């Protein structure tokens, strides 16, 4: 709206000048020429008429005079001579006047005609000069607008890609996405109503609030009268819920039904949901019970959904079975068992007739069934092992960029868990530590165990978009528990550690923007990937303020150097589904790898695929090598086809993760083959050889027009440019000091001005090629890399 106002103001000013030009043309050109035509040319035409008349009269009298007979009287002849002399005189005067008028018009034409034209052209030049002046005034606004347009376009592109990824995850999720609202649950349900001749099902829009146990129903049948968008405008019925029970399938001819009891109406109200998953959501919201007359499966008995003696016994027996005979099995805990067998195991163990300390028959049940049963039990608990109450605290703790704080905060939070939960968690994590120590045989590294047990131990209370985005951090929590098991469970936490406070999600979305540069300046490149905050004019290339924490914190926790724990490195899978996109080899000090392998969904049961495979698929692409992993894996450069398939799988996320691996001395072979650096991009030598140019790569994807406006390509193309810069980044350790060899004056708000000899602190590479991020006199910004020397 603001830009349209500015355009309108400009157009009105131009139109006003154009109106003046037209008025000027009428006053200084058309009117004088009209006057010249009427007064001068018109007078010459009148003179011609008079001359023609006198000529005709003179020639007729002359002819008559010549035909006069000489025999006439002398007096008669004299009169005739006198008359002819008079007529000749009149003719002579008329001809002279006519000739004079023609000469006058011919001479006047030379200035009477040219002068108005000159005056008109002067007005025309004034018009164009005014247009130039308007253009000059409009130039700063135009440049700012172009800048804002670029950032807005890039914001749109990155937001669209993020939303598309979320859409894909929602599509692949096993439950319908339900947006957060003021109600615990809301949606359409069919209500069974009695009629004289049987029953009828009437569609209602229902809401339920768990806190007040308030259930409302509004008729939503599409009728012709009183309809507003398909809803009948009738007052809703409000009830207070007494109980909710799932309806047994063979007790009614309809599917997806459940019964509720309310205080305001006697008897039960039978409701029908749209699907099985929708019914589960309603039952979960209403604390729905299973009918007593079902099979004794674990979830059908309310008391077995809590941690009790039978549950502890079951977990210990499962762990003992796995550790004694199957801890080296490939894909342990990842490959699920047959669902019917798992259910049979649960029914056997948790049957009311079974003793609390019942043993698991090792010959009857295979390893996959036992591991799936263990996960199923933990997943079916009424509250996850790490509790809904502390869920957000754990997530916030691991979003911290400080590795030591992450561990300390998780340590403190674990000791805030209820006694039974902590005891069960201790048993489980101790077992997972043993599993990870055999990762060379079973390929179950700490990262992979985090992927599988993160959502099981830390599921969110509501399936929101935020919860989906936090799955990665749930996995990191489990990784920290495994890596620091001894410290967390066998030592007291530091009482001085401040516990994390859950924060609301930041509203400002930061994205990479392609900045403009216009006009003739000394060699200074366009700032290719700077992080632009739409709410401010300052630009920062620090990657630590993305909505979900930094890009680095999104990468696997285990990618950071950890000298205290020594785990076996993960091996890339030999099967087709499991080659990592980027992985790091084990380093000399035994730090564990950040490579994360994924599995093909066909290899595991539906039960596990829906829970973990989708998540591990996303996270394996998002994980990148940490700064300490200095060289690429040798086996990965040979398998460039796998790398290319990794690119296809997630172009956006993998491209985005390249800058966070600035410490890498080189990238994978396939990345270098994708983008060989171009010598044409080296800057030209400026006239003053003593002062080096500010080095910066220029984007080759711009289509520059005459006014300096650079139309950005797609964001993916812009980020692809980062591959080129990533290959040529110099290895500079972060946090060093540097000294300025030359003085420099900042040309942008995110550059630093400094004199020769200035000392910089906290110097580290920027995502902008050829530039460093440094702090000088308390201000942090960009400095040209070739202007400084490290101390």
């Amino acid at each position: 709206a603001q830009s349209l106002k500015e355009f309108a103001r400009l157009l009105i000013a131009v139109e006003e000048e154009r109106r003046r030009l037209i008025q000027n043309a009428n006053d200084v050109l058309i009117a004088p020429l009209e006057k010249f035509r009427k007064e001068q040319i018109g007078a010459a035409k009148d003179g011609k008429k008079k001359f023609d008349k006198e000529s005709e009269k003179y020639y007729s009298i002359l002819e008559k005079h010549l035909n006069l007979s000489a025999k006439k009287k002398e007096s008669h002849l004299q009169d005739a001579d006198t008359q002819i002399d008079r007529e000749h005189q009149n003719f002579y005067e008329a001809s002279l006047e006519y000739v004079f008028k023609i000469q006058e018009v011919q001479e006047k034409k030379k200035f009477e005609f040219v002068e108005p034209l000159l005056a008109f052209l002067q007005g025309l030049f004034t018009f164009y000069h005014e247009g130039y002046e308007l253009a000059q005034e409009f130039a700063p606004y135009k440049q700012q607008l172009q800048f804002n347009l670029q950032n807005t376009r890039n914001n749109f592109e990155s937001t669209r890609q993020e939303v598309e990824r979320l859409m894909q995850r929602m599509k692949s999720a096993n439950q319908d996405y339900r947006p957060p609202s003021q109600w615990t649950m809301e949606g359409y349900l069919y209500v069974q109503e009695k009629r004289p001749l049987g029953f009828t099902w009437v569609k209602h829009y229902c809401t339920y609030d768990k806190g007040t146990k308030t259930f409302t129903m509004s008729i939503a049948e599409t009728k012709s009268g009183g309809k507003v968008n398909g809803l009948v405008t009738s007052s809703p019925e409000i009830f207070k819920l007494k109980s909710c029970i799932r309806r047994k399938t063979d007790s009614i001819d309809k599917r997806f039904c459940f019964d509720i009891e309310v205080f305001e109406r006697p008897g039960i109200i039978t409701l029908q949901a749209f699907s099985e998953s929708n019914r589960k959501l309603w039952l979960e919201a209403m604390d729905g019970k299973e009918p007593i007359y079902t099979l004794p499966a674990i979830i059908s008995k309310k008391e077995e959904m809590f941690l009790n003696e039978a549950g502890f016994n079951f977990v210990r027996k499962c762990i003992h079975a796995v550790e004694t005979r199957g801890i080296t099995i490939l894909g342990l805990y990842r490959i699920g068992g047959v669902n019917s067998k798992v259910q049979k195991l649960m029914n056997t163990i948790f049957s009311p007739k079974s003793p609390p300390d019942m043993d698991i028959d090792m010959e009857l049940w295979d390893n996959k069934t036992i591991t799936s049963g263990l996960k199923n039990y933990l997943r079916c608990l009424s509250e996850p092992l790490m509790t809904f109450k502390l869920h957000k605290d754990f997530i916030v703790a691991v979003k911290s960029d400080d590795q030591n704080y992450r561990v300390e905060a998780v340590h403190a939070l674990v000791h805030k868990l209820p006694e039974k939960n902590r005891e069960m968690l201790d048993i489980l994590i101790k077992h997972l530590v043993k599993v990870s120590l055999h990762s060379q045989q079973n390929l179950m590294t700490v990262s992979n165990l985090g992927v599988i047990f993160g959502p099981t131990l830390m599921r969110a209370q509501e399936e929101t978009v935020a919860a989906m985005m936090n799955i990665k951090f749930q996995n990191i929590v489990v990784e920290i528990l495994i890596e620091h098991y001894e410290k967390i469970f066998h030592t007291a936490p530091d009482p001085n550690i401040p516990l994390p406070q859950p924060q609301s999600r930041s509203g400002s979305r930061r994205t990479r923007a392609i900045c403009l540069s216009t006009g003739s300046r000394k060699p200074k490149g366009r700032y290719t990937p700077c992080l632009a905050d739409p709410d401010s004019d300052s630009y920062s290339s620090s990657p630590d303020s993305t909505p979900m924490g930094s890009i680095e914190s999104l990468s696997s926790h285990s990618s950071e150097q950890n000298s205290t724990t020594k785990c076996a490195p993960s091996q890339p899978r030999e099967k087709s589904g499991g080659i990592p996109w980027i992985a790091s080899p084990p380093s000399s000090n035994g730090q564990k790898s950040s490579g994360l392998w994924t599995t093909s969904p066909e290899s595991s049961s539906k039960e596990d695929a829906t829970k973990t495979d989708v998540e591990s698929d996303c996270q394996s692409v998002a994980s990148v090598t940490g700064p300490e992993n200095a060289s690429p894996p040798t086996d990965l450069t040979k398998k460039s086809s796998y790398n290319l398939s990794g690119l296809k799988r997630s172009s956006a996320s993998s491209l985005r993760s390249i800058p966070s691996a600035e410490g890498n001395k080189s990238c994978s072979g396939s990345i270098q083959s994708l983008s060989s650096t171009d010598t044409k991009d080296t800057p030209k030598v400026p006239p003053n050889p003593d002062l080096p140019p500010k080095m910066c790569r220029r984007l080759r994807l711009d289509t520059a027009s005459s006014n300096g406006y650079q139309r950005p390509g797609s964001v993916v193309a812009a980020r692809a440019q980062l591959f080129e810069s990533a290959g040529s980044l110099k290895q500079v350790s972060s946090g060093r000091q540097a000294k300025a060899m030359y003085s420099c004056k900042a040309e942008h708000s995110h550059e630093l001005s400094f004199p020769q000899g200035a000392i910089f602190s906290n110097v580290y590479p920027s995502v902008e090629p050829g530039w460093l991020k440094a702090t000088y006199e308390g201000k942090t910004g960009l400095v040209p890399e070739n202007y400084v020397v490290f101390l």
Side-chain angles (χ1 to χ4, degrees):
Q2 184 61 38
S3 63
L4 291 180
K5 283 180 185 174
E6 288 290 330
F7 296 158
R9 186 185 63 75
L10 184 70
L11 289 174
I12 287 169
V14 173
E15 283 300 305
E16 181 66 24
E17 285 302 315
R18 199 166 69 87
R19 191 185 60 74
R20 282 191 196 138
L21 175 68
I22 294 168
Q23 185 63 42
N24 186 52
N26 190 61
D27 292 345
V28 304
L29 179 64
I30 298 171
L33 292 181
E34 284 283 337
K35 185 179 178 184
F36 180 77
R37 184 177 61 80
K38 288 177 183 175
E39 293 181 1
Q40 302 298 325
I41 298 177
K45 286 182 178 178
D46 290 344
K48 184 177 187 301
K49 285 179 185 175
K50 184 179 178 184
F51 170 70
D52 288 343
K53 188 177 178 184
E54 290 296 329
S55 298
E56 189 179 349
K57 189 176 178 184
Y58 172 65
Y59 289 137
S60 63
I61 291 177
L62 182 63
E63 191 176 350
K64 195 188 290 183
H65 182 69
L66 292 174
N67 288 336
L68 195 66
S69 175
K71 297 177 180 180
K72 293 278 187 182
K73 292 179 181 178
E74 188 62 30
S75 60
H76 196 273
L77 289 173
Q78 284 178 352
D79 289 341
D81 287 344
T82 306
Q83 187 179 3
I84 197 73
D85 286 342
R86 192 170 60 247
E87 289 301 328
H88 179 264
Q89 186 64 32
N90 291 340
F91 169 71
Y92 195 61
E93 287 175 3
S95 65
L96 280 175
E97 285 178 7
Y98 178 49
V99 169
F100 172 73
K101 199 65 185 172
I102 287 175
Q103 291 296 330
E104 187 182 38
V105 169
Q106 289 293 340
E107 290 304 316
K108 271 192 172 183
K109 236 177 16 176
K110 293 177 183 177
F111 58 89
E112 289 276 5
F113 190 73
V114 175
E115 196 173 35
L117 275 175
L118 179 61
F120 169 70
L121 285 176
Q122 184 61 32
L124 195 64
F125 296 146
T126 305
F127 169 70
Y128 284 119
H129 182 71
E130 188 64 30
Y132 173 77
E133 290 289 331
L134 285 170
Q136 289 292 98
E137 289 175 18
F138 190 66
Y141 178 77
K142 181 191 75 169
Q143 188 170 355
Q144 184 62 35
L145 186 61
Q146 288 171 343
F147 198 74
N148 291 342
L149 285 172
Q150 297 250 32
N151 287 335
T152 306
R153 180 190 296 275
N154 291 338
N155 279 340
F156 164 75
E157 290 290 347
S158 61
T159 305
R160 185 178 66 178
Q161 288 178 0
E162 185 179 341
V163 172
E164 282 176 353
R165 285 198 302 277
L166 286 176
M167 274 170 46
Q168 292 302 323
R169 290 185 64 180
M170 287 174 196
K171 287 177 186 174
S172 60
N174 60 340
Q175 287 185 341
D176 293 337
Y177 167 66
R178 187 171 66 81
S181 69
Q182 58 176 322
W183 311 106
T184 310
M185 185 67 194
E186 61 181 324
Y188 289 101
L189 291 170
Y190 283 91
V191 180
Q192 188 185 55
E193 294 186 358
K194 290 183 180 179
R195 290 286 187 267
L197 299 173
F199 295 95
T200 183
W201 295 86
V202 182
K203 190 177 180 183
H204 285 68
Y205 189 78
C206 305
T207 63
Y208 179 67
D209 182 40
K210 196 168 189 172
T212 59
K213 290 196 170 185
T214 305
F215 180 73
T216 64
M217 300 191 310
S218 305
I219 296 177
E221 289 293 330
T222 53
K223 297 178 181 175
S224 57
K227 186 176 75 168
V228 180
N229 293 335
L231 292 175
V232 176
T233 54
S234 61
S235 57
E237 298 180 83
I238 302 175
F239 305 107
K240 187 162 185 184
L241 189 73
K242 187 190 292 183
S243 69
C244 170
I245 299 176
R246 182 178 69 81
R247 187 68 177 261
K248 195 178 177 186
T249 309
D250 53 15
S251 68
I252 194 168
D253 62 343
K254 298 276 189 182
R255 301 168 70 201
F256 320 131
C257 293
F258 59 99
D259 297 332
I260 62 169
E261 286 185 86
V262 295
F263 289 100
E264 290 81 0
R265 187 187 289 187
I268 61 169
I269 303 173
T270 301
L271 307 170
Q272 183 186 26
F274 281 1
S275 64
E276 182 60 37
S277 60
N278 188 238
R279 177 170 68 175
K280 279 183 182 176
L281 288 173
W282 279 103
L283 288 172
E284 186 181 339
M286 293 179 163
D287 296 323
K289 300 174 183 174
E290 290 292 313
I292 299 167
Y293 41 85
T294 54
L295 290 170
I298 177 173
I299 200 163
S300 67
K301 299 191 298 178
K302 185 74 175 175
E303 64 274 10
E304 298 302 346
M305 293 171 68
F306 296 99
L307 291 172
N308 55 17
E309 187 184 348
F312 272 91
N313 176 65
F314 174 64
V315 170
R316 287 192 179 99
K317 292 290 169 58
C318 287
I319 288 174
H320 176 71
V322 171
E323 289 181 356
T324 52
R325 70 171 185 185
I327 201 164
T328 59
I329 291 176
L330 184 71
L332 181 68
Y333 285 110
R334 180 184 59 78
I335 302 173
V338 179
N339 215 14
S340 57
K341 284 186 178 180
V342 175
Q343 198 59 46
K344 192 174 178 184
L345 168 67
M346 307 303 280
N347 293 343
T348 305
I349 296 295
F350 292 104
S351 168
K353 299 174 184 177
S354 303
D357 57 347
M358 181 177 177
D359 278 331
I360 296 175
D361 189 342
M362 304 278 265
E363 294 180 3
L364 183 60
W365 308 109
D366 62 2
N367 225 54
K368 288 189 291 186
T369 304
I370 292 172
T371 55
S372 294
L374 174 60
K375 288 188 294 182
N376 194 33
Y377 168 73
L378 295 170
R379 202 176 291 143
C380 289
L381 291 171
S382 60
E383 188 174 32
L385 207 55
M386 298 174 77
T387 72
F388 292 132
K389 183 180 177 183
L390 295 177
H391 179 88
K392 286 184 180 176
D393 294 343
F394 276 112
I395 296 296
V396 174
V398 297
K399 282 184 181 177
S400 168
D401 290 332
D402 184 351
Q403 166 66 6
N404 291 327
Y405 175 74
R406 289 191 199 183
V407 177
E408 295 294 343
V410 170
H411 187 185
L413 289 170
V414 165
H415 284 263
K416 289 182 72 175
L417 289 170
E419 188 64 38
K420 279 190 175 182
N421 293 52
R422 192 164 72 251
E423 185 184 346
M424 177 68 85
L425 191 63
D426 187 350
I427 294 168
L428 181 66
I429 299 299
K430 184 177 180 181
H431 167 63
L432 295 183
V433 170
K434 293 179 183 176
V435 172
S436 68
L437 291 175
H438 294 81
S439 60
Q440 284 189 324
Q441 290 89 16
N442 59 30
L443 294 187
M444 295 309 294
T445 61
V446 175
S447 300
N448 298 329
L449 290 170
V451 168
I452 289 167
F453 282 93
T456 302
L457 301 178
M458 278 191 69
R459 70 175 186 271
Q461 195 157 10
E462 288 190 17
E463 288 290 333
T464 61
V465 178
M468 290 168 68
M469 298 291 285
N470 284 337
I471 287 174
K472 176 67 183 173
F473 299 107
Q474 297 173 10
N475 306 345
I476 294 174
V477 172
V478 176
E479 290 178 33
I480 290 174
L481 292 176
I482 297 172
E483 289 183 335
H484 303 273
Y485 165 74
E486 288 295 333
K487 175 179 179 178
I488 290 173
F489 289 96
H490 296 157
T491 63
D494 184 353
N496 299 321
I497 288 292
L499 289 178
Q501 297 298 321
Q503 297 174 350
S504 59
R505 178 168 175 166
S506 169
S508 65
R509 180 184 305 283
R510 297 192 177 243
T511 181
R512 301 185 188 281
I514 303 170
C515 309
L516 281 171
S517 70
T518 57
S520 57
R521 294 179 180 168
K522 60 182 177 179
K524 176 192 68 63
R526 296 185 178 91
Y527 288 87
T528 314
C530 62
L531 295 170
D533 186 348
D535 300 329
S536 71
D537 293 332
S538 63
Y539 294 86
S540 162
S541 56
S542 66
D544 58 3
S545 48
T546 52
M548 299 306 300
S550 67
I551 306 266
E552 286 85 346
S553 67
L554 273 174
S555 67
S556 174
H557 148 82
S558 60
S559 66
E560 301 183 24
Q561 185 167 354
N562 184 1
S563 57
T564 59
T565 309
K566 295 187 179 182
C567 297
S570 66
Q571 301 293 328
R573 289 202 57 197
E574 296 302 323
K575 296 184 181 178
S576 62
I579 298 299
W581 183 62
I582 295 180
S584 62
S587 58
S588 57
N589 66 350
Q591 76 180 58
K592 67 187 212 57
S593 163
S594 69
L596 202 68
W597 50 267
T598 63
T599 64
S600 56
E602 292 82 9
S603 64
S604 58
S605 70
K606 179 181 176 184
E607 165 201 356
D608 285 319
T610 54
K611 291 282 181 185
T612 61
D613 286 353
V614 174
E615 296 146 12
S616 64
D617 219 26
C618 298
Q619 289 146 9
S620 67
V621 176
S623 74
V624 295
T625 53
E628 291 79 14
N629 299 329
S631 61
T634 52
D635 62 327
L636 208 61
T637 54
K638 297 172 189 173
K639 303 176 183 178
S640 61
S641 60
Y642 290 122
N643 292 342
L644 290 173
S645 69
L647 275 175
K648 291 175 188 171
R649 282 171 56 193
S650 176
S651 61
S653 64
S654 60
L655 288 174
R656 186 188 297 174
S657 58
I658 288 298
S660 65
E662 291 165 293
N664 290 9
K665 288 181 179 173
S666 62
C667 299
S668 298
S670 63
I671 298 175
Q672 292 169 340
S673 66
L674 276 173
S675 57
S676 59
T677 53
D678 198 340
T679 56
K680 289 187 287 185
D681 289 339
T682 55
K684 295 179 181 177
V685 179
N688 181 3
D690 297 331
L691 195 65
K694 298 180 186 178
M695 291 170 56
C696 196
R697 288 188 181 276
R698 291 182 179 272
L699 279 186
R700 293 197 298 268
L701 53 95
D702 56 333
T703 52
S705 55
S706 59
N707 63 354
Y709 177 62
Q710 179 186 355
R711 180 176 177 83
S714 69
V715 168
V716 173
R719 286 178 180 156
Q721 184 70 12
L722 296 176
F723 278 115
E724 296 189 13
S725 58
S728 62
L729 278 177
K730 294 182 180 178
Q731 175 72 19
V732 182
S733 6
S734 60
R736 291 172 62 183
Q737 284 194 325
K739 181 179 180 181
M741 295 186 291
Y742 315 97
S743 63
C744 176
K745 187 176 180 182
E747 296 180 359
H748 289 273
S749 59
H750 43 279
E751 290 181 22
L752 290 179
S753 295
F754 52 86
Q756 185 175 2
I759 302 296
F760 303 102
S761 61
N762 193 25
V763 183
Y764 57 91
S766 164
V767 291
E768 171 67 21
W771 293 77
L772 299 173
K773 199 77 183 290
T775 303
Y776 175 64
E777 293 184 345
K779 185 179 178 184
T780 301
L782 295 176
V783 295
E785 186 177 350
N786 53 346
Y787 273 49
V788 301
V789 61
F790 284 96
L791 299 177

